[in-house]
């Protein structure tokens, strides 16, 4: 072949493969030089309570309310998506622990800082908008997220999801989201826990035949200071992101991405056996029942501050031991550097264990401290979750 025909052949191959590859790769971004504060953790736990303990979060409104001015939810990972025609862009938190898509509305209250600080969806400016108008509210510890449903084309990495219904938020709770680097949240869990009975975007992507495979996978970079935060893949798995093979376990209850963990062990002691856990990209923490939290702190020499946060002496990090999760017959090891997080406050840095608890919650929540260490596949087609160690470059 001459040069020109090679170029033409390659071009054609690219065009053909592109029209068939139904995969959306969403670069995830992280906030540069982000160090959590005590208030970030508090906000995260308030969000977790609203997701997993609906009644408890309602009843704690009063106490949390006193501190709303400092209650910020600054998750590190978010990506870009658009709504409407022409496209209106939003930074969004991709959250496997909830099932609704919401963005701030152009009709949000002028007094609502969280909404005013971010991009707002303007339905009048979109030719593909279809009105719905049903009111929906989601209760958070710091107040409620209120708004109404609208329908439009939602795009992620150029894949158009037609007739996607989402929540246009007109009021966001307290100051939880004011400083968040993302405007809204894209829930990736199951329809059964979707507020307003809305079909989640992932379900529509699958039913509209937009994905090669009915899976999503998360690669979260844990190199702390970088802006490059990893990648979320809709419709596929990238084996260059992990080493060895994926260990799959069945989804036990298809509300959240819930599955059974065989055991959690450290220093030869089984802290817990045969328990139910949820893989949740919307939190940085690992949440466990209170009794297990106490046992864990005793073993790693961490001290509780009275608020369900445990701290270790930063000088003693080198003496800490690994923690092993046994899932589907495979051992998943977290090193001390994986489960100790730096927290800043009063001009100082503290070493906090990411193991935490929420009073009244018996489920375990495995957040980014786990998902960042283990590439995670959320397989809707086969109702299973897969994990493999992230390849370190
Ligand atoms: C992050 O820290 C690096 C090194 O200290 C610095 O060069 C950079 O400007 C910082 N970036 C931001 C966004 O603060
Ligand atoms: C919303 O879009 C319409 C149509 O483009 C425009 O007239 C209006 O000013 C926009 N509203 C706001 C608040 O930007
Ligand atoms: C939705 O909420 C708004 C603001 O609270 C209210 O004015 C409107 O009547 C509600 N609509 C319906 C259909 O309930």
């Amino acid at each position: 072949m001459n040069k020109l025909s090679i170029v033409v052949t390659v071009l054609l191959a690219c065009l053909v493969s592109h029209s068939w590859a139904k995969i959306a790769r969403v670069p995830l971004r992280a906030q540069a030089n982000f160090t959590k504060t005590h208030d970030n953790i508090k906000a995260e736990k308030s969000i977790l309570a609203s997701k997993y303990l609906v009644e408890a979060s309602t009843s704690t409104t009063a106490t949390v309310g006193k501190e709303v001015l400092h209650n910020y939810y600054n998750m590190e990972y978010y990506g870009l998506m658009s709504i409407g025609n022409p496209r209106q862009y939003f930074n969004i938190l991709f959250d496997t622990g909830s099932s609704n898509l919401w963005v701030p509305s152009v009709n949000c209250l002028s007094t609502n800082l969280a909404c005013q600080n971010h991009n707002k969806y303007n339905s009048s400016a979109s030719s593909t908008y279809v009105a719905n108008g049903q009111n929906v509210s989601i209760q958070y510890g710091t107040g409620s997220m209120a708004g109404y449903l609208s329908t439009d084309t939602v795009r992620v990495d150029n894949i158009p999801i037609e007739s996607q219904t989402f929540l246009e938020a007109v009021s966001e709770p307290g100051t939880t989201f004011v400083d968040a680097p993302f405007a809204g949240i894209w829930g990736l869990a199951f329809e059964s826990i979707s507020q307003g009975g809305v079909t989640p975007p992932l379900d529509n992507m699958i039913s509209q035949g937009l994905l090669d495979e009915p899976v999503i996978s998360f690669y979260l970079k844990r190199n702390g200071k970088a802006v490059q935060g990893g990648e979320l893949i809709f419709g596929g798995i990238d084996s260059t992101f992990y080493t060895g093979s994926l260990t799959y376990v069945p989804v036990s209850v298809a509300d959240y991405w819930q599955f059974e963990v065989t055991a959690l062990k450290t220093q030869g002691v089984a802290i817990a056996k045969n328990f139910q856990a949820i893989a949740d990209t919307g939190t940085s923490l690992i949440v466990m029942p209170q009794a297990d939290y106490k046992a864990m702190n005793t073993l790693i020499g961490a001290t509780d501050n009275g608020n369900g946060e445990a701290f270790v002496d930063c000088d003693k990090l080198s003496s800490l031991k690994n923690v092993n999760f046994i899932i589907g017959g495979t051992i998943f090891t977290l090193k001390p550097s994986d489960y100790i997080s730096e927290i800043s406050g009063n001009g100082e840095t503290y070493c906090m264990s990411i193991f935490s608890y929420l009073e009244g919650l018996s489920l375990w929540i495995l957040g980014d401290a786990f998902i960042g260490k283990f590439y995670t596949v959320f397989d809707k087609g086969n109702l299973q979750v897969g994990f493999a160690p992230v390849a370190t470059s």
Side-chain angles (χ1 to χ4, degrees), residues 118-134:
H118 294 106
N119 286 358
K120 297 174 274 291
Y121 172 70
N122 181 353
S123 58
S124 312
S126 171
S127 64
T128 40
Y129 162 70
V130 177
N132 175 309
Q134 182 192 329

Side-chain angles (χ1 to χ4, degrees), residues 111-178:
T111 50
N112 200 263
L113 277 181
C115 175
Q116 296 302 335
N117 269 3
H118 294 106
N119 286 358
K120 297 174 274 291
Y121 172 70
N122 181 353
S123 58
S124 312
S126 171
S127 64
T128 40
Y129 162 70
V130 177
N132 175 309
Q134 182 192 329
N135 283 343
V136 168
S137 72
I138 302 174
Q139 190 62 46
Y140 288 94
T142 51
S144 68
M145 158 88 59
Y148 54 90
L149 300 180
S150 289
T151 301
D152 207 331
T153 304
V154 169
R155 280 187 181 79
V156 63
D157 186 24
N158 279 328
I159 290 192
I161 312 165
E162 310 286 348
S163 303
Q164 177 61 49
T165 298
F166 58 95
L167 176 65
E168 268 193 58
V170 294
S171 106
E172 295 181 35
T175 52
T176 305
F177 298 106
V178 170

Side-chain angles (χ1 to χ4, degrees), residues 27-37 40-41 44 72-79 91-94 179-182 218 220-230 281-285 341-343 354 367-369 372:
L28 295 175
R29 294 180 67 78
Q31 283 180 277
N33 303 342
F34 175 61
T35 308
K36 279 188 196 314
T37 63
N40 295 148
I41 301 293
E44 259 195 57
Y72 297 125
Y73 183 43
N74 265 350
M75 282 295 301
E76 290 147 278
Y77 302 99
Y78 56 94
N91 279 320
I92 204 99
L93 175 74
F94 291 101
D179 270 4
F182 52 83
F218 272 89
L220 303 181
K221 270 193 185 167
R222 300 297 282 173
N223 55 353
K225 308 291 180 207
V227 180
Q228 276 292 320
T281 57
T283 183
S284 66
L285 305 169
S341 178
E342 288 188 351
I343 300 291
I354 52 80
D368 298 343

Side-chain angles (χ1 to χ4, degrees), residues 55-77:
E55 281 159 37
S57 76
T58 312
S59 68
T60 57
T61 302
T63 47
V64 178
K66 285 183 208 146
E67 299 183 275
V68 292
L69 281 174
H70 303 289
N71 215 349
Y72 297 125
Y73 183 43
N74 265 350
M75 282 295 301
E76 290 147 278
Y77 302 99

Side-chain angles (χ1 to χ4, degrees), residues 49 72 97-98 133 152 168 251 266 346 353 370 377:
Y72 297 125
S98 66
D152 207 331
E168 268 193 58
V251 168
T266 185
N346 308 322
S353 146
F370 190 86
V377 177

